[in-house]
Amino acid sequence: MSEQGNRPLIEVKNLKEYFNINMGMFRTKPLKAVDDVSFSINKGETLGLVGESGCGKTTVGRTILHLYKPTGGEVWYDGKKLETRADIQEFRKKATMVFQDPYSSLNPRMTVSDIIGEPLDIHNLYSTKQERMDRILELMGHVGLNSEHASRYAHEFSGGQRQRIGIARSLAVNPDFIVCDEPVSALDVSIQAQVINMFDELQDKLGLTYLFIAHDLLVVRHISDRIAVMYLGKMVELADAAEIYDRPLHPYSKSLLSAVPVPDPKAARANQRIVLTGDIPSPLNAPSGCPFRTRCRYATEQCAAEIPEFKEVEKGHFVACHRTAEVN
Amino acid sequence: MSLLEVKDLHTSFFTDAGEVKAVNGVSFFLDRGKVLGIVGESGSGKSVTAYSIMQILAGTGKIVSGSIKLDGQELVGAGEKVMKTVRGNRISIIFQDPMTSLNPTYTIGKQLMEAILLHTNRNKKEAWDRAVEMLRLVNVNEPEKRMKQYPFEFSGGMRQRVMIAMALACEPDILIADEPTTALDVTIQAQILELMGTLQKELGMAIIMITHDLGVVAQMCDEVIVMYAGSICEQGTADEIFYNPCHEYTKGLMRSIPTANTAGKKLQPITGTPIDLLNMPEGCPFAPRCDAAMKICIKQRCENMQLNDDHRAACWMNVKRGVEDGSITLEGGADHE
Ligand SMILES: Nc1ncnc2c1ncn2[C@@H]1O[C@H](COP(=O)(O)OP(=O)(O)OP(=O)(O)O)[C@@H](O)[C@H]1O
Ligand SMILES: Nc1ncnc2c1ncn2[C@@H]1O[C@H](COP(=O)(O)OP(=O)(O)OP(=O)(O)O)[C@@H](O)[C@H]1O
Ligand code: SF4
Ligand SMILES: [Mg+2]
Ligand SMILES: [Mg+2]
């Protein structure tokens, strides 16, 4: 959780990812899943990424790792821009991903040791069989699995244990940076707490940097140093975790945070929820100007005409809204 | 007389490996216009309790004993004919998995109208209007157009909202919502919870809300049942459960929630693994994982005791505390060290 130095490990500049959607009759239309997103993550830091379903969180994670080729923009790793294929290949050994669904993301026909060993095989990270096994057992130790588990199959494990297997696998290449895509959403509260603690411990022990995607805002608040909020492919706000919780500036962040159900009946009764009306617009037909304007109660003509700039309004606090001053 | 009275319900699955006692002596009341929350670990019997009330148990599942009364009428053993009038008309359920509960080959409109025609006195035109109105209420945009689309054209969250619309369109006395909002974002979830709350107040509908999300429980529920290994370990008003938990499992559950105050600190998970329902221990089912467990907890199960007007719990710690402060005197000298 600590910010070890303030040097960015990952820098994302004007990242774009457009998918070509087939509209029939040989026409295609770009779906702007990620549109001009910029941010950086410091060494040893956790950046939380939140926003509605379909707003582009997973796509941001995958595009940073170059699992999708970026449509535009740049990704920098440790002060160096990723340009050549060799850069990207090298980067893939330093950056990995943990997936959302512990039930479907592991091959049920593989043993735990094969699942964890696969990235070692792919990247040629051992010279003897013994060395491979030692490394697998070490990784299992990191995530609290015992050595007896090695020869068992993934389907024999509970959700929380499967998530541990997935995390051990993502640690196999000795990464510096991990994109955690909703790693605890499928788990029950008490097991969720075990897995969150493990992420914490691994960060301390191995000096990891995380991009932590989740829709449970209490979880994100707990684990993140800073939090970024996305809406319809764009970043709308980014600030310190405590700052964004206590004083969200963007109208969307405000409603998002007020809608979080707090596990406290008296606070829940007192809470003034800002209930949004209307559905999320389709990214194929994104509104002109500010993407949030169709659901924003502060919207004016300017909001329809111009895309608000994502700018630093206070130290470390970025917002994309024309009316930040009036709204707050 | 309460709207729904469940007494000592036992439901089991008779599998090749043996009898899985999924629900093991559950009792509760539900009054008109109230919201009852059911929480508990994955596999603790929340869904099976709901399916038992509807009598829609899968495979080898059977109600072994107990009573379920709706407005005084016994449903256990009442037969399929009675249950057909109960399902949909009187009690509706929103299933945990919205993907499997819509028919992929029919349009959304056809499925909604079918439910409305079957369970209310409306003609086709009125049913169409009602269906459109319900879609609009659950915030599906352009409902007229959406009526003609198929389930695969909807996102997961939208399908879940269709299921909610379908369950509400029939104006049931009791709505059972099994994890109704897990696939939804918080802002859409807030809209749906608001809608349920309004209907519950306007129509006097009672709700059974099954969820992992203690935030949803805090926001919606009057009363809460906490389940562990097929039994109720604690039940009471929401305030009692949140501010005065009296079962070690509930305490552990509350401790494991991340809050604004836990940032930068370790969370406190419940350690150990869930119990094997095929091999239930004699004593308290939570004892193997309980830090406070005493000798008696392992030997003998504590009954669900009344602690005050609003609160019951099945934990020996309450007996210990009672003995210590003199509010309970032991007969026969059970050892509780
Ligand atoms: N491979 C793809 N081809 C076409 N469209 C895609 C693809 N992957 C994602 N999309 C679209 O891009 C948008 C962003 O999707 P993404 O999965 O990044 O959202 P998300 O924020 O991760 O949502 P969730 O919270 O539901 O996981 C969506 O509209 C989605 O339909
Ligand atoms: N068809 C079945 N055959 C055998 N056992 C079953 C069947 N359905 C459920 N069970 C068992 O009954 C127990 C209770 O299951 P139930 O679905 O009620 O749990 P739950 O509390 O709803 O959990 P979750 O929070 O994961 O939905 C579980 O141990 C489960 O394995
Ligand atoms: S730019 Fe306008 S529409 Fe967008 S959030 Fe700000 S006030 Fe609302
Ligand atoms: Mg995603
Ligand atoms: Mg269930």
Side-chain angles (χ1 to χ4, degrees):
Chain A
M1 301 281 291
S2 58
E3 286 181 46
Q4 298 173 351
N6 273 331
R7 216 148 63 77
L9 182 72
I10 299 287
E11 289 166 275
V12 172
K13 298 179 181 171
N14 307 97
L15 194 69
K16 293 190 176 103
E17 184 60 55
Y18 297 175
F19 296 110
N20 276 322
I21 300 297
N22 198 338
M23 305 298 286
M25 309 283 287
F26 309 107
R27 283 183 306 137
T28 60
K29 194 171 174 180
L31 183 152
K32 302 183 176 178
V34 175
D35 199 13
D36 205 1
V37 163
S38 303
F39 60 90
S40 64
I41 314 177
N42 291 331
K43 268 205 170 94
E45 186 191 32
T46 300
L47 178 70
L49 184 58
V50 301
E52 265 161 339
S53 176
C55 72
K57 305 180 294 294
T58 299
T59 307
V60 165
R62 293 182 147 256
T63 310
I64 292 176
L65 298 186
H66 285 66
L67 298 173
Y68 297 141
K69 188 176 186 302
T71 308
E74 296 168 2
V75 177
W76 291 56
Y77 170 72
D78 212 4
K80 244 189 95 211
K81 184 174 160 189
L82 301 181
E83 280 174 307
T84 63
R85 272 183 80 143
D87 290 347
I88 289 162
Q89 226 142 47
E90 210 39 47
F91 178 56
R92 290 238 177 94
K93 287 190 207 161
K94 293 285 155 208
T96 55
M97 189 149 178
V98 174
F99 296 95
Q100 171 164 12
D101 185 354
Y103 295 93
S104 65
S105 60
L106 301 177
N107 185 340
R109 268 179 276 282
M110 281 165 78
T111 63
V112 171
S113 63
D114 287 337
I115 291 169
I116 300 173
E118 198 175 46
L120 299 174
D121 304 340
I122 292 172
H123 294 285
N124 268 324
L125 293 176
Y126 55 89
S127 42
T128 64
K129 273 228 145 80
Q130 186 57 44
E131 204 180 310
R132 177 178 186 269
M133 202 57 216
D134 288 347
R135 177 74 179 134
I136 290 171
L137 292 177
E138 183 192 6
L139 289 163
M140 289 176 65
H142 279 328
V143 298
L145 293 167
N146 6 357
S147 49
E148 302 102 72
H149 290 141
S151 55
R152 288 168 56 184
Y153 291 89
H155 69 86
E156 297 173 41
F157 291 90
S158 71
Q161 285 173 315
R162 284 187 216 192
Q163 200 54 285
R164 287 166 191 265
I165 299 168
I167 295 165
R169 178 188 159 94
S170 71
L171 291 174
V173 296
N174 236 334
D176 299 333
F177 173 60
I178 303 183
V179 175
C180 312
D181 191 6
E182 309 252 12
V184 295
S185 307
L187 307 174
D188 136 357
V189 185
S190 56
I191 299 164
Q192 175 180 299
Q194 294 175 10
V195 176
I196 292 172
N197 281 351
M198 198 180 58
F199 273 110
D200 245 356
E201 281 155 21
L202 290 171
Q203 183 163 52
D204 288 346
K205 200 151 72 183
L206 307 173
L208 299 172
T209 302
Y210 296 138
L211 176 64
F212 197 97
I213 301 170
H215 66 244
D216 184 329
L217 290 128
L218 293 172
V219 169
V220 176
R221 163 84 168 95
H222 174 82
I223 200 154
S224 307
D225 298 303
R226 289 184 303 146
I227 294 176
V229 184
M230 279 184 79
Y231 188 83
L232 216 65
K234 288 205 154 63
M235 194 142 287
V236 296
E237 186 160 5
L238 187 151
D240 233 51
E243 165 85 2
I244 217 166
Y245 262 75
D246 298 341
R247 230 167 43 85
L249 296 179
H250 194 280
Y252 173 64
S253 317
K254 281 178 193 287
S255 64
L256 186 70
L257 287 165
S258 81
V260 179
V262 281
D264 178 341
K266 283 178 188 155
R269 270 173 240 141
N271 187 9
Q272 289 295 318
R273 268 175 295 281
I274 308 169
V275 176
L276 291 176
T277 52
D279 220 343
I280 311 159
S282 155
L284 271 173
N285 287 307
S288 64
C290 171
F292 187 56
R293 72 171 166 85
T294 53
R295 296 166 85 196
C296 179
R297 53 172 161 166
Y298 304 104
T300 60
E301 274 166 30
Q302 187 197 9
C303 303
E306 292 165 35
I307 297 176
E309 190 193 339
F310 187 61
K311 58 175 186 257
E312 190 165 14
V313 292
E314 284 159 35
K315 189 162 174 2
H317 199 148
F318 296 80
V319 186
C321 171
H322 290 304
R323 311 197 57 208
T324 307
E326 295 91 325
V327 164
N328 292 287
Chain B
M1 187 175 58
S2 292
L3 177 60
L4 182 73
E5 299 185 359
V6 177
K7 271 211 194 101
D8 205 22
L9 179 70
H10 288 259
T11 302
S12 293
F13 292 90
F14 295 88
T15 67
D16 294 342
E19 179 183 357
V20 177
K21 294 182 176 170
V23 175
N24 204 356
V26 162
S27 306
F28 63 87
F29 300 122
L30 177 64
D31 288 318
R32 223 168 266 284
K34 290 282 183 209
V35 184
L36 171 72
I38 305 185
V39 301
E41 202 160 52
S42 189
S44 59
K46 305 183 295 293
S47 296
V48 173
T49 300
Y51 300 163
S52 301
I53 294 169
M54 299 288 278
Q55 295 188 30
I56 47 169
L57 293 157
T60 58
K62 244 182 82 180
I63 297 179
V64 177
S65 63
S67 152
I68 300 169
K69 284 189 179 153
L70 179 65
D71 265 338
Q73 184 192 10
E74 180 61 65
L75 298 182
V76 175
E80 204 30 41
K81 215 171 135 200
V82 173
M83 284 316 296
K84 274 210 170 113
T85 66
V86 168
R87 285 182 214 124
N89 291 352
R90 310 278 325 264
I91 311 178
S92 286
I93 184 164
I94 303 167
F95 288 100
Q96 192 163 1
D97 182 2
M99 311 303 164
T100 54
S101 33
L102 284 169
N103 187 330
T105 58
Y106 294 131
T107 61
I108 295 291
K110 187 172 159 71
Q111 299 188 54
L112 270 172
M113 283 177 63
E114 213 161 67
I116 294 167
L117 288 170
L118 190 65
H119 299 300
T120 65
N121 297 318
R122 287 187 168 86
N123 64 30
K124 268 196 149 166
K125 169 82 182 55
E126 288 163 350
W128 171 272
D129 292 343
R130 175 76 177 156
V132 170
E133 181 195 342
M134 289 314 297
L135 284 180
R136 187 169 291 126
L137 272 176
V138 294
N139 272 309
V140 169
N141 56 9
E142 302 183 89
E144 282 93 355
K145 218 188 256 172
R146 294 295 192 176
M147 289 282 282
K148 298 182 193 131
Q149 291 185 321
Y150 290 87
F152 74 87
E153 298 174 77
F154 281 52
S155 77
M158 275 161 74
R159 275 184 273 204
Q160 191 146 19
R161 280 179 277 156
V162 170
M163 291 302 300
I164 293 167
M166 202 176 286
L168 292 176
C170 308
E171 293 161 17
D173 295 328
I174 302 173
L175 173 72
I176 302 178
D178 193 356
E179 302 277 1
T181 57
T182 32
L184 304 178
D185 306 292
V186 281
T187 56
I188 300 286
Q189 169 176 282
Q191 290 173 14
I192 298 288
L193 294 180
E194 187 105 339
L195 171 71
M196 284 190 191
T198 314
L199 290 171
Q200 170 243 333
K201 281 187 202 90
E202 282 173 6
L203 307 174
M205 181 174 76
I207 300 178
I208 298 178
M209 177 75 80
I210 301 174
T211 178
H212 282 302
D213 191 331
L214 291 160
V216 171
V217 174
Q219 182 182 327
M220 294 286 291
C221 299
D222 304 299
E223 307 232 343
V224 182
I225 287 176
V226 185
M227 287 189 72
Y228 189 81
S231 310
I232 295 180
C233 63
E234 180 159 10
Q235 66 198 110
T237 58
D239 283 16
E240 280 286 318
I241 300 292
F242 277 89
Y243 302 128
N244 181 28
C246 287
H247 190 285
E248 292 303 307
Y249 170 70
T250 317
K251 289 183 199 169
L253 190 65
M254 296 293 169
R255 272 196 303 264
S256 39
I257 314 172
T259 65
N261 301 327
T262 63
K265 295 188 201 129
K266 282 270 169 308
L267 293 174
Q268 295 181 46
I270 300 171
T271 52
T273 49
I275 202 115
D276 177 3
L277 293 178
L278 281 165
N279 294 304
M280 292 273 261
E282 252 174 80
C284 169
F286 188 59
R289 299 171 71 182
C290 179
D291 293 333
M294 304 171 284
K295 258 195 220 151
I296 192 166
C297 304
I298 294 155
K299 268 198 265 174
Q300 194 184 333
R301 200 174 191 149
C302 182
E303 63 178 294
N304 203 359
M305 295 189 312
Q306 193 83 41
L307 303 176
N308 63 41
D309 288 351
D310 298 327
H311 202 158
R312 299 169 71 86
C315 176
W316 286 114
M317 290 301 283
N318 301 312
V319 179
K320 183 175 184 238
R321 204 174 50 202
V323 170
E324 279 164 6
D325 69 18
S327 60
I328 298 177
T329 40
L330 284 183
E331 294 159 29
D335 66 320
H336 58 272
E337 272 317 295

